Structures are given as C-alpha cells and as structure tokens.
Amino acid sequence: MKLLLIEDDPQLAHWLASLLREQGFVVDHMQDGDAADRQLQQARYDVVLLDLNIPRLSGKGVLRRLRERRDEVPVLILTAAASLDQKVLCLEIGADDYMVKPIESRELVARIKALVRRQVPGKANEMTCGDLHYDLRTRAFALDGRELALPPRERTLLEALMLKAGSTVPKQTLIDGLFDLDDEPSADAVELYVHRLRKKLEASQATIITLRGVGYLLRTRDDG
C-alpha cells in the first residue's frame, strides 16, 4: 500500500514515515500544500495523511481540490486542532477520518487499514483467490492454510493484485505502488517480482496473468 504524508514538521514527518515504512507501507512525503496538490494529480495513493496547518496551500485547500477533481482517495486528517467545528467542516468537505495529535501509532495503522478496507468489495478483512488467502489486518498471505512468506516488494505487488482480484491492474499502477519518490521506478523490476511470485504460486489455484500492453490480473486457474 502506498501512502502520501503531507506534514510540514520535519521531526514528526520523519517519525511517522519511519513508523509506516516499518509496517510495510510505501510512503511519499510532501511539506507544503502546493507540492502535495501537484503530486496528487500525478500519482495514485491508497491513503492520504493530511495535516491542516501546512504552508502555501492549506490542508483544507488540498482536500477541496481533491474532491473537486472527483478524486476519491481516502483522506485521514492529522491535526493538533481538536475543535469539533473544524472536524465537522473537514468531514463535510470530504475527509474520511480525523485524528488529533499526538498520534498513537497502533491507532494510526488501524485507521489506515480501515480506510483501505472500505474500498474492498464487501469491506472484508479476509480475501481469497482460490487457495490463496490474504488478511488485511495483518497484511499476511497464506497458501492452502500455510503462511506464504514474501519479501516486502513482492508482498506489496501481490497485495495490489489481491485487492483488485478479478480486475486488471495496469503495470504503471504497480510501478507507482512499489517505489517511493526516492527510488528509481523500474518496469523491469515489476516483471522480476511477478516472475518470482508466479514461481511461489505454481502449486496454487491462484495465478497471475499478463495482459500484454494492459497489465496484470490475479485470478483462479479455472476462470475462463
């Protein structure tokens, strides 16, 4: 899962980004609203973590522009402002959740996962594709009841396919989801990770299909 953290406090941003990366999230960080707004027009994220008091364009301004573009990415407000009127206003203009600083790490991770779950059909914590199982709470995969241990980027890629199981995921979407702004995006790396995942799924009912020029599709082997 890929997150955009919009926070102008360097110390807090470093702590949050480190915490989330330790949890296996890919994190991009922006310090001001204008830069964040431009980035949101160029890239796709699973969740946006948005401080309200940021320079150039306020957090509410970023949120308003997002919703005016009909971008439905989940937005979690992170702010020191505990005002009920402020919270109500943010929810009315399109925020999905609201947390008051100081942030408790376990609650933050739980709320991020809850926002992702809302985008999943049926809003279930557990998803399956044949004998391949995925638990959104732990972000763990199991194959025929046994844990499927995966390196971080292979897990992130399989996660993206599982969350869209039965639908084609464009290669560029996978590239964007695997690499943060400090990495060098690589289509070859995506192909390598897909190859490794196919090897690990050889005995599985689930398989990854390549649709040339379109993307990748996770489905069961007996699907037409």
Side-chain angles (χ1 to χ4, degrees), residues 3-215:
L3 314 177
L4 179 61
L5 171 63
I6 308 170
E7 169 63 62
D8 68 329
D9 181 328
Q11 192 170 7
L12 177 58
H14 177 75
W15 177 76
L16 286 171
S18 297
L19 162 74
L20 294 168
R21 287 172 182 142
E22 286 174 4
Q23 293 291 319
F25 295 103
V26 178
V27 183
D28 285 342
H29 171 229
M30 294 286 160
Q31 294 184 340
D32 71 76
D34 275 343
D37 183 55
R38 290 193 299 272
Q39 181 65 15
L40 285 164
Q41 294 180 59
Q42 298 169 6
R44 176 195 169 277
Y45 293 91
D46 293 292
V47 177
V48 174
L49 309 176
L50 177 61
D51 183 23
L52 293 179
N53 188 24
I54 51 177
R56 295 195 172 180
L57 177 64
S58 71
K60 288 194 287 287
V62 171
L63 180 58
R64 284 193 176 96
R65 290 188 183 182
L66 259 180
R67 299 316 185 211
E68 285 169 0
R69 293 194 296 269
R70 302 188 182 279
D71 189 328
E72 297 180 357
V73 60
V75 175
L76 169 56
I77 300 294
L78 304 179
T79 179
S83 160
L84 177 60
D85 288 344
Q86 179 93 284
K87 180 176 183 179
V88 169
L89 176 60
C90 288
L91 294 172
E92 285 179 343
I93 64 177
D96 297 274
D97 203 353
Y98 191 102
M99 289 185 72
V100 177
K101 301 172 184 175
I103 303 298
E104 203 287 318
S105 59
R106 288 185 303 162
E107 182 182 2
L108 174 62
V109 171
R111 288 186 183 229
I112 290 170
K113 290 177 179 177
L115 289 175
V116 173
R117 187 170 60 247
R118 291 180 195 174
Q119 313 305 308
V120 176
K123 300 182 180 179
N125 278 315
E126 297 184 6
M127 285 157 267
T128 62
C129 180
D131 55 359
L132 179 66
H133 298 259
Y134 172 70
D135 189 329
L136 181 58
R137 291 164 296 192
T138 60
R139 298 184 65 201
F141 284 94
L143 189 55
D144 197 21
R146 298 180 181 178
E147 181 184 359
L148 179 62
L150 298 170
R153 282 185 173 164
E154 289 180 31
R155 184 184 65 179
T156 296
L157 194 153
L158 189 57
E159 200 171 48
L161 295 174
M162 178 63 92
L163 290 170
K164 298 288 187 181
S167 301
T168 303
V169 181
K171 179 182 282 189
Q172 189 60 50
T173 298
L174 295 177
I175 294 171
D176 292 342
L178 285 173
F179 303 101
D180 63 32
L181 290 171
D182 295 326
D183 292 326
E184 187 67 36
S186 170
D188 290 341
V190 169
E191 293 173 6
L192 176 62
Y193 298 141
V194 168
H195 173 74
R196 290 175 178 172
L197 285 169
R198 283 188 175 129
K199 296 286 286 184
K200 293 171 182 177
L201 296 175
E202 278 181 339
S204 172
Q205 297 166 2
T207 186
I208 300 172
I209 304 296
T210 300
L211 300 175
R212 297 293 177 189
V214 181

